[in-house]
Amino acid sequence: MSVLSVAALLVALLVAAPVVAHLLRRRQAEERPFPAAALVPATPPQARKRSALEDRALFAVRALAVIGLALLGATPFVRCSRVALNRQGGASVALSVVLDDSLSMRAPLPAGQAGATSGPTRFQRARQGALELLDGTRSGDAVAVVMAGAPARVLVAATTNVATAREAIEAAEPSDRATDLDESVRLGRELLDALPQSDKRVVVFSDLADGSAEGTALAAEGNVATWVPLGELAGLAEDCAVTRADRAANKVLARVVCTGAGTPAPTDGAAAQGSGSAAPGARPGAPTRLLELRAGEEVLALARVSTAEHLSDVTLELRGEAPEGLVARLAPGDAIAADDVAPVVAAGGSLEIAVVGDAASSHVETGGPPPVEQALTALELDARIHPLPSVPEHAEDLGNFGALIIDDQPGLTPEVRRALAAWVDKGGVVLLALGPRAAAAQLGATFEPLVAGVVRWGKSPSPGIDPGTAAAALGAAAPSYADLSAKGRASLDAGASDAAEVLARWQDGAPFLLRRPMGRGSVLVLTLPFDTEQSDLALRPAFLAIVDRFVSTARARGGARRIDAGQSWTFDGFQRVRVRRLGGAGAAAEVPVLEADGRPRAAPALAGAYEIDLGDEKVTRVAAVPEREIDFRPRPVSPSAASEVFGGVAPSMDVSPWVAVGLLALLAVEMALRVARRARAGTAPVVERTS
């Protein structure tokens, strides 16, 4: 309730005014004849009849009138409203309720909506709005429920049992996922396509912060309308998140992502404690927050982070041994407290590498595994190798791996390319070796977006590479590739080198090894395959340098042991798997492991460290806050999606007219009481005084 509402209701205290008026009204004491009084000397009159309420009915009417005036004054300031549903022609409707359960929905409502930052969160208001919408349904209406946290999920398929949808919405809770509006709206439309109702709507309850503030506006598509009834959910907020914290020896590298709005700098002087370094690019005088390295309540190191920067990489230095349960935490708090802390995990460790190649073409005459697998074993890089017949078609299938080697494959299908691009964007690293099979790709199979353009295979006009161009990448082993016995080489389009770093060139200047960054990941491209029939690439010392650089790049990005909250871990070959969130309590700490495509999968909804029990071993993995979710700029909405023709937020209790009518009735009653009182006074008997 706002200050104006309270002030208006305080008018009700004026109900004391009639009491005071009645008490202040004094009358002379009644005179009664007393013959003996003539014998008593006259004295000034002192007595007065004790004050009392003379007309209780009139007083009650006036008190009620004052209370009615207070209610009438407060009603315009009371926002008691609900989501109302308009029907077209009174027909039944089919609704897909898209409820956003992403991280940004944990933020409080914008100022002016909830009145204070401690008010209800965006998710609470969205859930309440969805329930209010269901209150307006009736027999014959169909309802489906879709969650918009990435990946989008169907919570309830289209059903006329509204009670089932209501129970699902009431049980929904916010998560640390990213937002996927496009996929959730698409799912909502698909659920309604086959329904008989002519009035079909996808109703979006979201703050629209999906990281696509400059993307296409949400709008209707086909015969299914899109409706965004609660525009009040969208708005900027000040928030920073610790998305990762990796420890190598006595140093911790943490990444902090901020909305850029900034918060006031702390003034407690705590920056003098511990050790650390401020984020690069922090401007003097810019708003900052403290990044603390904590073990329980003890602060081991800290640094200041500029909240004016969207992304900051901060290095904190430990003194002594690193204790268990180390976390990186931001202080003071901001709009979302859940993303202010991240577990510190040890960098390095066993790196899971998937190798996709043709065993027949990548064999060696001396026997044994393919050359790349032998090189990984010889370097003792603590890597576990997983040979695969083909590149997986789903990003979830790649979730177990931190690196991927593709040796001379005949192109990639669109499904594989999408999955691979999504995996690389999250930190995966690919080593792509191109050979004659890569140039013979089938129609529709390309290497986009890993390699731009068409791959061709032909005879090499150069005998080997220019060692001078490869010295930085291959070191002292670069001269071993000056004379390669290659039957041919792959040629790339000129656009393949755009936004890429050429690490080594052939003697005629064509790219031999190039690196192309993609999101948080990287792609290394070789224009020769590993097949010893095509060249002696894998038999030269420089090959070990290439493999070592590839593994170092993959390890520097943390591998795939870290995924975004909401994504899945896949446990191939394991029958009994348990996933538990460290620091959680009871059943809430357990993450369900479900079978999908014959494989156990677990999708943690909350960020944090997780212990995975695989039966004979236990490993720790991390679910991180999605960096793109720390962007509160709302997605644009077309005017048709916000149109009042579908309904909107309407007052659910407007008593102003009834209060006004009640006041008029009280005025009439008071006038009637006054007339009756005067009539009684005019007919009262006259008392004569006798002596």
Side-chain angles (χ1 to χ4, degrees):
M1 185 176 295
S2 67
V3 176
L4 291 176
S5 301
V6 175
L9 289 175
L10 288 177
V11 177
L13 296 178
L14 294 179
V15 72
V19 179
V20 175
H22 278 255
L23 293 179
L24 291 178
R25 187 178 176 198
R26 298 170 180 267
R27 297 181 61 187
Q28 294 181 350
E30 292 186 24
E31 296 182 1
R32 293 182 179 273
F34 183 57
L39 302 176
V40 180
T43 58
Q46 298 289 339
R48 290 285 187 272
K49 185 176 181 180
R50 189 176 185 135
S51 300
L53 297 177
E54 297 177 356
D55 195 328
R56 297 180 182 275
L58 185 60
F59 165 73
V61 170
R62 289 174 176 173
L64 289 175
V66 173
I67 295 175
L69 286 172
L71 290 175
L72 188 62
T75 299
F77 304 112
V78 177
R79 295 182 179 179
C80 187
S81 56
R82 61 190 304 106
V83 177
L85 177 66
N86 290 344
R87 298 174 180 271
Q88 299 178 1
S92 60
V93 298
L95 305 173
S96 275
V97 177
V98 175
L99 182 60
D100 189 355
D101 63 336
S102 66
L103 174 69
S104 62
M105 295 293 285
R106 293 179 181 268
L109 287 173
Q113 300 294 343
T117 57
S118 59
T121 65
R122 300 180 182 189
F123 181 80
Q124 290 171 338
R125 179 65 185 105
R127 182 171 55 188
Q128 177 189 359
L131 295 174
E132 291 169 357
L133 182 70
L134 297 189
D135 289 338
T137 59
R138 63 192 186 193
S139 178
D141 294 340
V143 179
V145 181
V146 179
M147 306 303 289
R153 296 98 61 212
V154 176
L155 202 61
V156 177
T159 176
T160 56
N161 187 353
V162 179
T164 300
R166 173 179 290 278
E167 291 175 0
I169 293 175
E170 288 176 344
E173 293 293 338
S175 68
D176 295 336
R177 304 170 185 264
T179 307
D180 192 350
L181 286 179
D182 290 330
E183 182 65 14
S184 58
V185 171
R186 185 191 68 80
L187 286 175
R189 291 195 184 106
E190 288 184 353
L191 293 173
L192 302 182
D193 277 341
L195 298 183
Q197 288 86 349
S198 58
D199 187 357
K200 302 175 182 178
R201 311 176 194 175
V202 175
V203 190
V204 181
F205 292 94
S206 170
D207 61 359
L208 309 175
D210 65 342
S212 303
E214 299 174 357
T216 57
L218 288 180
E221 184 176 318
N223 63 339
V224 180
T226 301
W227 179 28
V228 184
L230 291 180
E232 66 194 63
L233 297 178
L236 300 179
E238 298 178 0
D239 182 56
C240 291
V242 185
T243 59
R244 61 189 301 170
D246 298 327
R247 177 177 61 83
N250 65 333
K251 292 185 178 180
V252 174
L253 177 62
R255 173 164 292 180
V256 179
V257 182
C258 295
T259 58
T263 54
T267 58
D268 55 5
Q273 306 173 15
S275 62
S277 60
R283 300 188 300 271
T288 61
R289 294 179 66 188
L290 288 178
L291 179 64
E292 302 173 339
L293 202 59
R294 284 176 168 265
E297 296 299 322
E298 182 183 2
V299 179
L300 303 180
L302 52 81
R304 286 192 181 275
V305 182
S306 172
T307 59
E309 304 294 331
H310 178 62
L311 189 149
S312 302
D313 287 325
V314 185
T315 301
L316 297 165
E317 187 171 348
L318 282 169
R319 296 175 180 174
E321 293 293 329
E324 294 292 331
L326 201 61
V327 299
R329 183 188 298 273
L330 284 171
D334 52 20
I336 303 176
D339 60 8
D340 289 344
V341 60
V344 176
V345 296
S350 180
L351 179 67
E352 311 292 332
I353 301 179
V355 180
V356 179
D358 185 358
S361 62
S362 60
H363 72 284
V364 290
E365 295 295 333
T366 56
V372 67
E373 297 184 25
Q374 294 190 33
L376 289 169
T377 303
L379 289 172
E380 298 182 352
L381 297 174
D382 192 18
R384 294 201 292 183
I385 304 167
H386 303 267
L388 299 178
S390 61
V391 181
E393 294 185 356
H394 303 286
E396 291 83 3
D397 297 332
L398 291 165
N400 264 356
F401 309 114
L404 173 66
I405 298 175
I406 303 176
D407 180 24
D408 196 18
Q409 290 297 293
L412 304 174
T413 64
E415 293 79 10
V416 172
R417 295 202 302 269
R418 281 196 295 269
L420 196 54
W423 175 76
V424 174
D425 282 340
K426 292 181 174 62
V429 179
V430 177
L431 174 58
L432 179 62
L434 303 175
R437 299 180 67 210
Q442 299 178 356
L443 184 64
T446 68
F447 292 98
E448 295 275 2
L450 305 182
V451 177
V454 178
V455 177
R456 300 175 179 85
W457 179 264
K459 187 176 180 180
S460 174
S462 300
I465 70 169
D466 180 4
T469 64
L474 305 182
S480 67
Y481 277 167
D483 184 15
L484 282 169
S485 301
K487 294 181 179 180
R489 77 180 190 195
S491 300
L492 308 177
D493 286 350
S497 299
D498 295 341
E501 178 186 5
V502 179
L503 302 178
R505 294 183 181 274
W506 291 89
Q507 293 176 5
D508 62 353
F512 170 77
L513 175 64
L514 55 84
R515 181 182 65 85
R516 183 169 181 266
M518 284 183 58
R520 299 205 307 264
S522 180
V523 179
L524 294 173
V525 180
L526 264 172
T527 53
L528 281 178
F530 302 147
D531 185 5
T532 55
E533 295 287 335
Q534 297 294 332
S535 73
D536 57 355
L537 170 82
L539 306 179
R540 302 290 182 96
F543 183 66
L544 297 179
I546 293 175
V547 174
D548 182 69
R549 183 181 183 89
F550 164 71
V551 173
S552 298
T553 303
R555 210 181 287 286
R557 282 161 173 76
R561 290 172 300 170
R562 177 186 289 103
I563 63 172
D564 286 345
Q567 298 300 315
S568 298
W569 287 305
T570 304
F571 309 102
D572 294 323
F574 295 95
Q575 300 298 325
R576 176 185 171 275
V577 180
R578 291 187 62 189
V579 180
R580 185 176 67 89
R581 185 169 183 259
L582 298 177
E590 292 286 337
V591 177
V593 179
L594 306 176
E595 289 283 339
D597 301 329
R599 297 173 175 176
R601 300 176 187 268
L606 301 177
Y610 289 81
E611 181 185 77
I612 301 177
D613 186 353
L614 300 174
D616 56 349
E617 64 174 322
K618 291 184 179 180
V619 296
T620 300
R621 294 185 180 175
V622 174
V625 171
E627 292 183 5
R628 67 184 177 93
E629 185 66 10
I630 314 302
D631 184 354
F632 285 77
R633 296 175 299 166
R635 175 85 168 268
V637 177
S638 68
S640 62
S643 174
E644 295 182 358
V645 70
F646 301 120
V649 180
S652 62
M653 184 184 69
D654 187 4
V655 297
S656 300
W658 302 105
V659 173
V661 171
L663 287 174
L664 291 175
L666 290 173
L667 178 61
V669 171
E670 181 175 351
M671 294 178 65
L673 289 174
R674 285 179 173 274
V675 171
R677 190 167 179 271
R678 290 177 181 175
R680 289 197 304 270
T683 58
V686 179
V687 179
E688 295 185 356
R689 190 181 296 179
T690 60
S691 59

